[in-house]
Amino acid sequence: MEKWIYSFNKSIDEIENPSELLGNKGAGLNLMTGLDLPVPQGFTILTKLNHYFQKNKSFPDEFENELIKNIFNLEKISNCKFGSSTNPLLLSVRSGSQKSMPGMLDTILNIGFNKKVLEFYEKQNKPLFAWDTWRRFLHMFSHVVYKIEHFYFDEILDSYLLGAGLQFEKDLGVNDIQEICSQYLTLIEDRIGKPFPEDVNEQLMLSIKAVMESWFNERAIDYRRINDVP
């Protein structure tokens, strides 16, 4: 059966061209893990899955099961659980090409953050951290996945700061951020025709697809052309 995922802790010695299969970033993470450097555990989705996705606009049937198994391994290593409201594991989806393309492709952080996770961090006596993380996640996810331009989120934030007589984001309190998040959620629902996804598995699959699709955004295409990146 085809394999689509490669764990950070697996040796890449037997791979003839690791960067071609794992991307430059993925190969580097495997090398650092092999040197016992303190790399947070994770895994790389192979570049050949991106080729499959671009051709078929879908994932092969066996990919989702392989993804679930690899997340389960992360849960065991981290002693956290993806989707848990009491011990949440948050994930990041990052992109990496055969040659470095800094800033050209998209990234989504804190996947798995939802209202239950928000409440968990609030109960840890971290309400400002919880709400500001939620605010940033709503913005980042919706920009990358739903293509909602930064302008609309910035407009809400700037208008709120002006109305509240505040100068900088760092001046926002919990109540302020709660109101901004409420406006973000309304914006998102208006633009996509449904509420922001609370299901962490839906968040993850949407994130993987969106980050793969960023390979064909205008700035990435221009960068590859100018720098002769395959």
Side-chain angles (χ1 to χ4, degrees), residues 28-218:
L29 287 162
N30 277 78
L31 284 172
M32 290 187 289
T33 303
L35 293 170
D36 291 327
L37 295 175
V39 177
Q41 192 52 237
F43 53 83
T44 299
I45 296 171
L46 304 182
T47 56
K48 61 183 179 179
L49 184 74
N50 195 16
H51 300 319
Y52 183 100
F53 178 72
Q54 298 304 338
K55 181 179 179 180
N56 299 282
K57 300 305 176 187
S58 63
F59 293 133
D61 294 338
E62 65 271 17
F63 169 67
E64 191 166 348
N65 288 332
E66 191 176 351
L67 182 64
I68 290 169
K69 290 177 183 177
N70 278 270
I71 291 173
F72 179 70
N73 289 337
L74 287 187
E75 291 174 335
K76 288 195 296 182
I77 293 167
S78 65
N79 199 30
C80 298
K81 186 168 180 58
F82 189 54
S84 170
S85 60
T86 57
N87 192 24
L89 172 67
L90 301 179
L91 303 175
S92 299
V93 174
R94 297 178 177 272
S95 50
S97 63
Q98 185 173 346
K99 294 182 181 179
S100 181
M101 294 173 54
M104 296 300 105
L105 306 177
D106 287 323
T107 290
I108 305 178
L109 310 178
N110 294 319
I111 297 159
F113 208 101
N114 56 22
K115 289 177 181 176
K116 290 181 179 179
V117 173
L118 174 66
E119 292 171 3
F120 166 78
Y121 284 115
E122 277 193 296
K123 291 174 183 177
Q124 306 303 309
N125 200 27
K126 299 176 181 177
L128 185 63
F129 165 80
W131 278 96
D132 203 44
T133 302
W134 179 231
R135 176 180 72 87
R136 294 171 186 275
F137 176 60
L138 291 173
H139 182 164
M140 178 181 286
F141 184 96
S142 299
H143 172 69
V144 176
V145 172
Y146 299 127
K147 313 304 181 190
I148 303 176
E149 292 297 331
H150 291 302
F151 165 80
Y152 296 102
F153 296 96
D154 293 341
E155 185 179 42
I156 290 172
L157 177 60
D158 292 343
S159 295
Y160 188 90
L161 288 169
L162 182 64
L166 302 173
Q167 191 172 2
F168 303 110
E169 287 182 45
K170 65 181 179 61
D171 299 324
L172 294 168
V174 173
N175 292 338
D176 300 316
I177 299 174
Q178 288 173 340
E179 174 57 32
I180 292 168
C181 287
S182 177
Q183 293 185 42
Y184 279 10
L185 287 167
T186 299
L187 165 68
I188 294 163
E189 186 165 357
D190 286 346
R191 293 301 299 268
I192 69 173
K194 58 184 178 181
F196 186 85
E198 289 283 311
D199 181 86
V200 299
N201 294 303
E202 181 182 0
Q203 288 180 8
L204 181 59
M205 294 305 292
L206 287 171
S207 298
I208 293 170
K209 291 177 181 178
V211 170
M212 286 187 173
E213 287 172 344
S214 74
W215 182 255
F216 289 103
N217 67 42
E218 187 175 353

